[in-house]
Amino acid sequence: NAGVTQTPKFQVLKTGQSMTLQCAQDMNHNSMYWYRQDPGMGLRLIYYSASEGTTDKGEVPNGYNVSRLNKREFSLRLESAAPSQTSVYFCASSEAIRESYEQYFGPGTRLTVT
Amino acid sequence: ILNVEQSPQSLHVQEGDSTNFTCSFPSSNFYALHWYRWETAKSPEALFVMTLNGDEKKKGRISATLNTKEGYSYLYIKGSQPEDSATYLCAFMSNSGYALNFGKGTSLLVTP
């Protein structure tokens, strides 16, 4: 039981390049989330998926797209990376979005955009 | 964006000391309050999810209380140990949205 896994762990991009961050969970959770963590700030929600087939914007969605590929997988895509997207990205999942379920976090992806 | 404030920003205590931190959140439209523990180089792990005013939860030496009417939650650690060193995050969910709004955390260092 791996919980929430993310790939890659580290990535360096040049401005304008694109990439997709992958996330998978094996806990049969319905809801999945993408956050970013920047120094001096709390975790900020980028996008979330309440259930398979649905996605919605969070607090900071600009510059990102997501795909809920199936119940297990939720990917985050940067179409044209910018230095402001340098951050640590965390994927998380929970049994449901509106019930009082805790979120389980992946190990994070450290992204640097030069 | 819902304002969630945590204090203090950082704390340094000696092994064996008891300590507590505060999370302040909007007192209206309350749905749930989460506490997470985040060790360096790891990912956040849930400690508590609290939903009812007056709720008290406990896990080992760590406990939390909730006051939704005045918009605050306290996290207590009794007899701190070096392995308690971590950043403690609280996150607020309102009943008008689906997002968890995280505070910036309280960084705790426990030295022997």
Side-chain angles (χ1 to χ4, degrees):
Chain A
N1 189 338
V4 180
T5 57
Q6 291 181 235
T7 55
K9 285 190 165 51
F10 301 94
Q11 185 71 47
V12 179
L13 290 178
K14 289 187 166 44
T15 297
Q17 287 184 318
S18 62
M19 78 161 295
T20 299
L21 281 64
Q22 306 286 354
C23 174
Q25 51 90 10
D26 62 2
M27 295 174 281
N28 201 35
H29 284 170
N30 289 300
S31 304
M32 297 185 74
Y33 316 83
W34 276 105
Y35 292 92
R36 59 179 289 172
Q37 169 70 51
D38 301 297
M41 306 195 74
L43 286 163
R44 292 184 294 168
L45 184 65
I46 305 170
Y47 270 93
Y48 65 93
S49 171
S51 59
E52 187 180 354
T54 70
T55 60
D56 282 288
K57 295 177 181 179
E59 180 186 346
V60 288
N62 290 346
Y64 306 96
N65 285 301
V66 290
S67 296
R68 183 76 183 265
L69 303 168
N70 48 54
K71 192 171 186 180
R72 289 188 63 246
E73 298 171 287
F74 188 38
S75 63
L76 178 73
R77 182 158 178 85
L78 287 70
E79 291 291 351
S80 178
S84 60
Q85 294 178 303
T86 293
S87 188
V88 182
Y89 292 86
F90 287 95
C91 177
S93 70
S94 65
E95 286 195 45
I97 198 164
R98 271 316 262 166
E99 311 312 317
S100 301
Y101 292 115
E102 60 202 39
Q103 293 187 11
Y104 293 80
F105 286 81
T109 294
R110 187 173 293 276
L111 175 67
T112 302
V113 183
T114 60
Chain B
I1 300 168
L2 298 169
N3 204 25
V4 179
E5 300 284 344
Q6 290 190 248
S7 61
Q9 187 175 337
S10 63
L11 199 51
H12 181 188
V13 302
Q14 298 295 311
E15 183 175 357
D17 288 349
S18 293
T19 187
N20 66 86
F21 348 115
T22 304
C23 173
S24 300
F25 52 85
S27 56
S28 58
N29 300 320
F30 178 86
Y31 187 83
L33 193 284
H34 293 220
W35 281 100
Y36 290 83
R37 182 171 179 272
W38 192 357
E39 291 182 71
T40 302
K42 295 188 178 180
S43 46
E45 291 185 350
L47 287 171
F48 307 113
V49 178
M50 309 175 81
T51 57
L52 298 175
N53 185 44
D55 235 357
E56 290 190 32
K57 297 216 170 181
K58 187 173 180 180
K59 187 181 287 190
R61 293 178 292 97
I62 304 177
S63 60
T65 61
L66 179 67
N67 183 323
T68 63
K69 294 187 187 311
E70 295 181 45
Y72 65 83
S73 175
Y74 294 137
L75 188 79
Y76 300 92
I77 302 179
K78 185 177 178 183
S80 302
Q81 300 296 309
E83 57 265 31
D84 296 329
S85 298
T87 296
Y88 292 83
L89 302 173
C90 72
F92 166 79
M93 181 182 279
S94 81
N95 59 16
S96 60
Y98 295 122
L100 268 182
N101 298 273
F102 281 85
K104 295 179 183 178
T106 292
S107 177
L108 174 66
L109 177 64
V110 183
T111 49

